[in-house]
Amino acid sequence: MTAFSRRSSAGSPATPPDPSDPLAALGRLPGVDGAVDSVRKAVDRVYGHRVMRRRGNEVTAEAALRGARGSAALSGADWDLEEVRRRTDFSGDPEARTVGAALRLSAEAGQLLSVWRQSPLRVLARLHLVAAADSTESVGRPRLTGEKADEPLIELPLPDADEVAVRLEGLSQLVFAGSSAPALVTAAVVHGELLALRPFGSCNGLVARTAERIVLIGSGLDPRSICPAEVGHAELGRAAYVSALDGYVSGTPEGMAAWIAHCGRAVELGVRESTAVCEALQRGAA
């Protein structure tokens, strides 16, 4: 029995979960509908900002930069935004390489939308190849038996290579099949599953957060990529991030709902960041 089949049993007893759409059951968990509604309203507000009609491309570019900075911060490279903006060489120390990887992933995400629904495993391999481009280890493939994963933030037990292969295939099938679940639910599950598995030898957090972004963009919730959830995850803090992930890994209805709600708050904080960018552009301050 896979992790997904265990979690799908969290649906309401009065409405048996559709075995062909296990993500839909997660959308019915207590509190998830409220999180989904709150995210949708927040996203609609920033898309309705008058600056988006004239300078939306600038907002998108700034969101990408700030999202990359937030993702790098969660992976241990907590640089000031202006340092990320100023720097041109990211080939030095480990923190610089982490920031460089986050920036490359942010640029790559939009290029992979058409491939994601048809071949999510191919996209994940590409993301790892981009992130770990300066690494001497094997890149662009999941871990093999005996290989470890380097993700300093996550201290959960590491699934072995066989379990990783089975669960990645399950995740791929879910994405390929599609779901009636809200985009936030799908994005949170993709993000949480990749963090739990840490399928690659390195850069797992960066890849997981980029995959979340791809789902949010490709679903139509955030088509212009102006709601950087990575900013929100960083603002909520590493301790809250790890605690919420523990809920996901537990597989309980309460834990899963808490993780989805956490991801929803992160998106809303990303919206707040981009709203501030819009306001600055409107005042001529950016």
Side-chain angles (χ1 to χ4, degrees):
M1 181 179 292
T2 68
F4 288 113
S5 61
R6 288 197 299 271
R7 288 169 190 147
S8 68
S9 65
S12 167
T15 307
D18 179 355
S20 67
D21 189 5
L23 295 180
L26 300 181
R28 296 193 294 270
L29 292 175
V32 170
D33 56 344
V36 169
D37 185 57
S38 184
V39 165
R40 168 53 68 188
K41 288 178 179 177
V43 172
D44 286 348
R45 283 195 299 271
V46 71
Y47 269 86
H49 198 287
R50 66 175 63 187
V51 166
M52 285 298 300
R53 293 194 295 271
R54 296 177 289 109
R55 303 179 70 177
N57 290 341
E58 294 174 68
V59 180
T60 295
E62 189 66 19
L65 181 71
R66 296 181 184 217
R69 192 218 72 83
S71 190
L74 282 171
S75 287
D78 192 1
W79 287 16
D80 290 338
L81 180 63
E82 292 312 311
E83 175 66 10
V84 178
R85 197 190 305 278
R86 179 192 66 81
R87 184 74 73 94
T88 57
D89 181 8
F90 298 94
S91 61
D93 60 85
E95 285 196 8
R97 291 196 294 272
T98 296
V99 175
L103 289 168
R104 291 193 299 272
L105 286 172
S106 188
E108 189 75 9
Q111 310 303 313
L112 299 171
L113 296 174
S114 63
V115 184
W116 172 253
R117 279 293 301 274
Q118 299 303 315
S119 185
L121 297 185
R122 179 180 162 194
V123 169
L124 294 175
R126 173 62 184 171
L127 291 176
H128 187 248
L129 185 65
V130 168
D134 56 1
S135 175
T136 58
E137 66 179 33
S138 297
V139 298
R141 62 158 176 79
R143 292 183 284 110
L144 301 178
T145 300
E147 292 182 337
K148 302 299 182 183
D150 180 17
E151 184 56 46
L153 178 63
I154 309 302
E155 298 180 353
L156 294 165
L158 188 66
D160 63 30
D162 289 340
E163 182 178 353
V164 167
V166 170
R167 288 173 62 176
L168 279 180
E169 181 60 30
L171 181 64
S172 176
Q173 291 175 5
L174 281 178
V175 172
F176 182 78
S179 174
S180 64
L184 174 63
V185 172
T186 303
V189 167
V190 168
H191 184 174
E193 190 71 359
L194 292 174
L195 278 181
L197 292 178
R198 283 146 291 159
F200 302 108
S202 62
C203 303
N204 287 289
L206 297 175
V207 168
R209 290 184 288 275
T210 304
E212 178 186 48
R213 175 186 282 262
I214 288 172
V215 174
L216 293 174
I217 299 170
S219 67
L221 177 65
D222 181 23
R224 300 190 68 174
S225 191
I226 61 169
C227 308
E230 305 97 322
V231 168
H233 286 302
E235 185 171 338
L236 289 166
R238 298 176 77 179
Y241 189 61
V242 171
S243 177
L245 179 62
D246 286 344
Y248 175 86
V249 172
S250 76
T252 65
E254 297 79 10
M256 293 295 293
W259 169 249
I260 295 167
H262 182 89
C263 291
R265 289 193 295 273
V267 175
E268 290 187 67
L269 289 171
V271 168
R272 188 177 71 178
E273 187 86 355
S274 287
T275 301
V277 170
C278 288
E279 295 295 331
L281 289 170
Q282 186 169 276
R283 295 192 306 269

